[in-house]
Amino acid sequence: MISRKKQGIDMLISCLILFFISCPVVSIIVEIFISNSIAIHLIPLFKLDFETSRAVYSIFLLVIDLLTFILPIYIYHKVLGERLIIAGTIYVEFLLQDRFAQVISFSALSYFFIYIIDLVILGLIHKKDLEYISNHNDFINWKPVFFYYLALYVLMDICYGADYIFPALDSDTPNIQTIWLATVVILAAFSGAAFSKLNVIVSKENEKKIRYMRKFQENQTDIIRDFATISEAKSGETGQHIRRVSEYTAILARGIIKDSTDIMYIKVASMMHDIGKLMIPNEIIEKPGKLSPEEYETVKTHSEFGDSLLSHSEGEIMTIARTIAYEHHERWDGHGYPRGLKGDSISIYAQIVSVADVYDALTSKRSYKEPWDPLEARIEIIRQKGHQFSPKVVDNFIDRYDEIEEIRKKYAD
């Protein structure tokens, strides 16, 4: 009961705050208590002629309006709990309707009816869009709408101030000048509504594209995981090798790659680094002892096989996976394979996976060796800085070593 009562009080307070910072209330306060009083006492000090005084007052009104609505927009943002750009856009839209009603009306009563009718028309125009707007804020590009509304508001404010400059526009009797001004304002008001509706349409199209791309990326991820499972079973490597390399890769990427989407891509794509081993004979892959030089040369071809297997795949993740599969055995000093690439001619994705793969290979048991102590493996990675591995990736490996060790322990075989 107390909770409901408190909610009711909070809602009442919010409504009162929204009312007192609403466009009509702020406009009345600004015009009556600020603009008029300043104009009466300040402008006469400059001893301007009548027409110049009216023009100066018009410009003064425009500046004051723009400044005095900054604080209400911020309060509106806090009360609604929306992002500032969203709250600002909504508030400026109400500003447009307020100024529209002020320009069109010829009395206080007519202002009230015009303002209400205008809001009703606006609601009907956006009737089908309101639910989408409230539930899909992240898909809507609010900035262009905000600045477009702001520009229209300045236009309407100039039209409103024109009453002070041109006496014919301040007449209660309709004439060509007042009709022309009303037409400009009406067109501006409808252009604002049309622009916001167009933005909703564009946002819906972008949402469809984004959802399609997400589904496409999810399908790629599923394919990669399936292939990685098959590759793991064929390679004879430890059960959690692919999982650990993927996690190590994500940790190392976070210190080098800024885009969070790219980090997710490389994390998934790294699972395919040894996909080419599917094409290597089992007797070589599963050989318990040391490989002969001829067998080692055969194993080295798995990089080219990986490139070939993924060459016809589409999508961002598959493209990265192909690059990793092809280049993760290249060395920073140019003595790697299959192409002998050197330095930054090696893809940053492959540079990262190379460190992740070797560290896990060193610390894991294989049919031909026992696992290294993690500290010895760490020293070896550092020793190969600038030789086998990219210096910046090794530096990041050192900085994030504790995170990598947590993963090694968490997904131990």
Side-chain angles (χ1 to χ4, degrees):
M1 183 66 70
I2 296 175
S3 177
R4 288 184 180 180
K5 184 178 180 180
K6 186 177 183 302
Q7 288 177 355
I9 294 173
D10 290 343
M11 184 176 294
L12 179 61
I13 292 173
S14 297
C15 289
L16 288 173
I17 292 173
L18 292 175
F19 171 76
F20 283 111
I21 64 169
S22 64
C23 311
V25 173
V26 175
S27 293
I28 292 170
I29 293 172
V30 169
E31 189 160 340
I32 294 177
F33 298 104
I34 300 178
S35 300
N36 287 346
S37 60
I38 292 178
I40 291 170
H41 296 94
L42 186 62
I43 293 179
L45 296 177
F46 294 97
K47 298 180 180 180
L48 303 173
D49 59 70
F50 180 71
E51 290 186 358
T52 306
S53 296
R54 292 170 73 99
V56 170
Y57 182 59
S58 176
I59 296 172
F60 172 76
L61 274 181
L62 173 60
V63 175
I64 287 295
D65 275 351
L66 290 174
L67 292 177
T68 52
F69 280 113
I70 293 175
L71 182 59
I73 287 175
Y74 183 76
I75 297 173
Y76 196 69
H77 145 68
K78 287 295 185 181
V79 173
L80 290 182
E82 291 281 9
R83 299 202 318 266
L84 186 58
I85 186 66
I86 298 175
T89 304
I90 296 170
Y91 196 89
V92 175
E93 184 166 17
F94 283 115
L95 279 180
L96 283 175
Q97 316 318 315
D98 169 59
R99 192 55 89 206
F100 168 80
Q102 285 182 326
V103 176
I104 297 297
S105 64
F106 50 85
S107 66
L109 187 61
S110 63
Y111 163 82
F112 175 77
F113 283 111
I114 291 172
Y115 187 71
I116 296 299
I117 292 170
D118 190 31
L119 290 180
V120 170
I121 293 173
L122 190 66
L124 292 174
I125 291 174
H126 289 302
K127 182 180 179 181
K128 295 181 179 179
D129 302 324
L130 292 176
E131 183 179 353
Y132 177 83
I133 291 172
S134 62
N135 295 325
H136 299 80
N137 283 342
D138 293 339
F139 292 104
I140 296 176
N141 190 358
W142 290 92
K143 282 188 178 180
V145 182
F146 173 77
F147 287 114
Y148 190 77
Y149 282 172
L150 195 60
L152 287 178
Y153 177 70
V154 171
L155 171 63
M156 288 194 184
D157 226 21
I158 292 172
C159 292
Y160 179 67
D163 287 348
Y164 295 93
I165 303 174
F166 306 105
L169 296 173
D170 202 23
S171 173
D172 291 336
T173 305
N175 54 53
I176 188 65
Q177 289 93 340
T178 56
I179 293 173
W180 176 83
L181 187 65
T183 303
V184 170
V185 172
I186 290 170
L187 289 175
F190 276 105
S191 69
F195 186 81
S196 58
K197 194 164 186 68
L198 175 63
N199 192 56
V200 170
I201 293 172
V202 172
S203 298
K204 287 180 178 179
E205 291 298 320
N206 287 338
E207 181 189 3
K208 288 180 182 178
K209 291 178 182 178
I210 291 171
R211 292 192 185 281
Y212 172 79
M213 289 305 299
R214 283 178 180 172
K215 186 66 178 177
F216 184 62
Q217 299 297 357
E218 288 171 3
N219 290 340
Q220 288 185 75
T221 302
D222 290 340
I223 293 171
I224 285 174
R225 283 177 178 151
D226 290 343
F227 268 104
T229 302
I230 296 170
S231 174
E232 187 178 80
K234 169 71 184 290
S235 68
E237 291 173 338
T238 57
Q240 296 281 20
H241 169 68
I242 289 175
R243 178 64 179 270
R244 287 193 300 267
V245 169
S246 174
E247 296 293 338
Y248 295 162
T249 296
I251 292 171
L252 294 174
R254 280 196 289 273
I256 298 171
I257 298 174
K258 303 302 180 185
D259 189 279
S260 59
T261 302
D262 280 349
I263 294 173
M264 184 272 287
Y265 286 172
I266 187 177
K267 179 180 179 181
V268 176
S270 67
M271 296 180 185
M272 298 279 272
H273 67 281
D274 276 339
I275 190 66
K277 286 185 178 179
L278 290 172
M279 308 302 292
I280 306 300
N282 282 353
E283 56 269 21
I284 295 178
I285 291 293
E286 297 173 0
K287 184 177 179 179
K290 186 177 180 180
L291 298 177
S292 67
E294 294 79 13
E295 290 170 334
Y296 179 62
E297 289 301 317
T298 299
V299 169
K300 285 167 64 176
T301 61
H302 81 276
S303 295
E304 293 169 300
F305 280 130
D307 174 62
S308 179
L309 286 171
L310 300 174
S311 62
H312 301 293
S313 302
E314 296 181 358
E316 187 88 22
I317 297 178
M318 297 301 281
T319 300
I320 295 173
R322 180 188 177 188
T323 299
I324 291 171
Y326 197 25
E327 298 182 7
H328 73 287
H329 283 294
E330 300 286 0
R331 290 174 54 105
W332 186 257
D333 57 15
H335 295 152
Y337 65 87
R339 291 182 291 166
L341 299 179
K342 186 177 181 179
D344 280 326
S345 60
I346 305 168
S347 164
I348 187 61
Y349 302 120
Q351 292 177 33
I352 293 170
V353 173
S354 175
V355 173
D357 184 35
V358 171
Y359 181 74
D360 191 69
L362 292 175
T363 55
S364 300
K365 183 177 181 179
R366 293 287 186 268
S367 58
Y368 54 87
K369 76 170 189 70
E370 292 299 315
W372 286 30
D373 180 82
L375 290 179
E376 291 179 0
R378 180 178 183 271
I379 292 171
E380 177 63 15
I381 295 293
I382 296 172
R383 191 176 69 83
Q384 290 297 334
K385 175 182 176 180
H387 301 289
Q388 184 173 353
F389 306 121
S390 161
K392 64 182 174 183
V393 177
V394 173
D395 288 341
N396 202 39
F397 171 84
I398 296 170
D399 292 341
R400 297 173 179 269
Y401 182 71
D402 290 342
E403 296 178 58
I404 289 172
E405 267 301 279
E406 286 181 14
I407 294 298
R408 186 187 66 80
K409 294 172 182 177
K410 181 177 181 179
Y411 299 108
D413 294 316

